[in-house]
Amino acid sequence: MPAISRSKLPHLMQREQERFSSAHPESRALFDRAQKSLLGGVPMNWMKKWPGGFPLFVDHASGAHFVDVDGHEYVDFCLGDTGAMTGHSPQPTINAAIERVKNGITFMLPTEDAIWVGEELTRRFGLPVWQFALTATDANRFSIRIAREITPRKKILVFNWCYHGTVDESFITLDSSGRGAARRGNIGPPVDPAVTTEVVEFNDIDGVERALTSGEIACVLAEPALTNVGIVHPEPGFHDALRKLTRRHGTLLIIDETHTICAGPGGFTKAEKLEPDFLVIGKPIAGGIPGAAYGFTQKVAERTSARIQTADCDTGGIGGTLAANALSLAAMRATLHSVLTQDAFEHMIPLAERFTQGAAAAIADAGVPWHVTRLGCRAEYLFCKDPPKNGGQAAAAADFELERYMHLHALNRGVLLTPFHNMALMSPATIEEDVDCHTRIFTEAIAELVS
Ligand code: PMP
């Protein structure tokens, strides 16, 4: 099996960097200007992670494509890391948003759209009671707070190398001795995350059982398949066992569907008949306009209501002035009604299959020890031969240099992947030519690495 030629990588990377730099003078000039007013020249610190030395500045986008300030057009498989899984600026969402913008954006009062969206989320995910937030991070935080309040227990459990947004309790990974420790790069943790959190490997049901036996765990916060360290699928029986154990130990189960909504209109939960106590969804739910939701069972609703005093309900740690604003709700309604529909998934999922087949053929032809996997309309290639069983294995297969080269090589040829791992997402506007374009470029990139 041919290995990747590591000695060639720096030269190839340099070639790509020069090509990128000379093709993007306008983006480079904006980045230079931004040094004065933005930390590191970017409005969000992780935008520094784009390969090429500076990020592309976007001029406009539509559907599955965008154009940068230098006039280059790209096929977008990053899609705002799922925030634009609907395709950029879907027409029904635009129409509803324009109407709402003209008639009041935020009130601290409800609109009828909130009820429509709550009813639709119940139809899709099965949970009967809903609340809204602006981000999936907040929806996770609020779910954790409620779980701690009503159980009442202090700790939560997460899986190794999970990502649930900037939730303090979740920035923990297993160290080499198998103990939970602050995740690398964790900025200013309020306390040692081992105080708040137990961490076990995904698919490790014995580990879950050991952790829950303490009786200290308020909730498990889990993606139903890991999607933030490559894709790690649950093994058969994992979710059944997780549900049985959490019930047996009085621990609540929060399923974070923010990314796994790629599995279908009702996410992984509907597709695999999961029965969480809470469900979190954010990112694409409002077509790219900020908005998120968290739903829970009737029992959780009753236990929560019993503990919230009206006099204090605005300062109890769950809220946000702009949460549940009328614009987000109007955008959610239009997106759920007309964009992220069953028909849309019937278009998107076969495209991800096509993407996976194309990448798998390139990997097999070159004989490199990589693999490609898929969850619904999300595909991902990983630099290991066999699919990882847990986050630790997936993280061990990460290769930052190689990843950057693959991403920059694609970017220089008109294809955008996320700056983290190797994820590609299909939108309702993505077409077969977009996918085939990636396959062609990916095949060329590997051929250069092994030749
Ligand atoms: N949950 C999951 C599974 C995510 O992948 C992310 C972001 N990547 C979040 C929550 C947080 O989303 P946001 O940054 O929009 O709050």
Side-chain angles (χ1 to χ4, degrees):
M1 181 167 279
I4 295 299
S5 168
R6 298 304 303 197
S7 59
K8 283 178 80 181
L9 199 51
H11 305 293
L12 290 171
M13 192 61 184
Q14 193 180 342
R15 181 194 73 192
E16 293 303 320
Q17 243 148 7
E18 282 162 12
R19 177 170 169 168
F20 181 80
S21 193
S22 65
H24 300 99
E26 294 296 328
S27 277
R28 176 180 261 298
L30 289 173
F31 183 64
D32 288 346
R33 182 177 141 207
Q35 296 303 320
K36 277 201 185 131
S37 59
L38 305 176
L39 180 66
V42 290
M44 262 292 310
N45 63 357
W46 51 250
M47 289 186 191
K48 285 174 81 172
K49 222 167 169 183
W50 290 105
F54 54 92
L56 292 179
F57 281 71
V58 174
D59 188 71
H60 61 275
S62 172
H65 291 226
F66 77 94
V67 175
D68 70 16
V69 289
D70 286 286
H72 305 295
E73 182 167 343
Y74 301 84
V75 180
D76 190 355
F77 289 110
C78 167
L79 292 169
D81 193 19
T82 313
M85 194 181 98
T86 51
H88 294 290
S89 301
Q91 199 59 49
T93 311
I94 298 177
N95 295 347
I98 289 174
E99 220 23 64
R100 192 64 259 173
V101 165
K102 287 196 284 193
N103 290 294
I105 296 168
T106 191
F107 304 103
M108 288 198 99
L109 287 169
T111 51
E112 188 256 336
D113 288 337
I115 308 172
W116 191 97
V117 173
E119 290 167 352
E120 172 64 10
L121 293 174
T122 296
R123 190 184 70 75
R124 288 187 181 223
F125 298 110
L127 289 155
V129 185
W130 292 86
Q131 288 282 277
F132 297 96
L134 277 185
T135 64
T137 298
D138 271 352
N140 278 322
R141 280 193 192 124
F142 301 158
S143 301
I144 292 170
R145 273 184 173 267
I146 292 175
R148 278 201 302 250
E149 178 66 23
I150 65 179
T151 39
R153 296 177 183 176
K154 289 269 185 305
K155 281 187 146 181
I156 79 163
L157 183 146
V158 297
F159 292 106
N160 198 23
W161 293 99
C162 68
Y163 187 75
H164 297 282
T166 53
V167 176
D168 282 316
E169 293 90 335
S170 66
F171 284 111
I172 185 166
T173 44
L174 288 169
D175 67 14
S176 52
S177 61
R179 270 194 287 272
R183 184 175 177 150
R184 207 179 70 213
N186 191 350
I187 300 169
V191 292
D192 177 350
V195 173
T196 59
T197 311
E198 293 289 336
V199 52
V200 302
E201 286 288 11
F202 196 66
N203 282 320
D204 178 8
I205 266 308
D206 293 341
V208 171
E209 179 152 35
R210 275 194 301 277
L212 296 193
T213 306
S214 70
E216 290 181 341
I217 311 290
C219 61
V220 172
L221 172 61
E223 277 196 285
L226 298 184
T227 66
N228 281 295
V229 58
I231 297 173
V232 180
H233 295 276
E235 289 181 335
F238 173 71
H239 277 292
D240 268 357
L242 178 63
R243 187 62 280 201
K244 281 198 186 100
L245 281 175
T246 45
R247 285 200 172 120
R248 185 183 313 149
H249 292 280
T251 296
L252 297 167
L253 178 61
I254 306 172
I255 291 289
D256 180 353
E257 288 276 9
T258 303
H259 274 186
T260 48
I261 184 67
C262 61
F268 196 102
T269 292
K270 181 78 170 193
E272 298 295 325
K273 302 189 177 60
L274 304 189
E275 294 177 3
D277 297 296
F278 292 81
L279 186 141
V280 166
I281 172 89
K283 294 204 186 181
I285 189 183
I289 289 175
Y294 54 112
F296 31 86
T297 60
Q298 197 63 45
K299 201 162 164 205
V300 168
E302 283 159 18
R303 289 166 78 188
T304 307
S305 298
R307 296 185 69 96
I308 295 183
Q309 307 300 322
T310 305
D312 304 322
C313 68
D314 52 336
T315 50
I318 289 174
T321 314
L322 295 175
N325 73 77
L327 176 61
S328 295
L329 268 306
M332 279 186 210
R333 180 177 186 159
T335 304
L336 291 169
H337 182 272
S338 309
V339 185
L340 287 180
T341 58
Q342 179 71 39
D343 284 354
F345 280 93
E346 281 167 20
H347 170 78
M348 289 143 75
I349 291 174
L351 286 173
E353 280 166 4
R354 189 179 181 96
F355 184 102
T356 309
Q357 280 160 12
I363 290 169
D365 286 351
V368 289
W370 301 0
H371 80 279
V372 54
T373 186
R374 181 183 68 81
L375 178 68
C377 66
R378 180 185 302 273
E380 172 105 32
Y381 58 90
L382 281 91
F383 304 127
C384 53
K385 189 168 166 298
D386 299 314
K389 289 187 175 5
N390 58 46
Q393 288 178 8
D399 185 330
F400 190 55
E401 260 186 32
L402 187 54
E403 189 176 292
R404 281 171 90 70
Y405 170 69
M406 293 301 288
H407 294 190
L408 190 58
H409 179 279
L411 198 56
N412 278 335
R413 289 153 187 81
V415 167
L416 186 83
L417 300 163
T418 48
F420 334 108
H421 46 101
N422 305 305
M423 190 276 293
L425 204 58
M426 312 298 140
S427 76
T430 308
I431 55 172
E432 289 184 349
E433 284 74 12
D434 297 331
V435 171
D436 296 345
C437 172
H438 174 268
T439 304
R440 206 170 46 248
I441 289 165
F442 179 75
T443 308
E444 282 168 25
I446 304 187
E448 277 199 315
L449 281 168
V450 293
S451 63

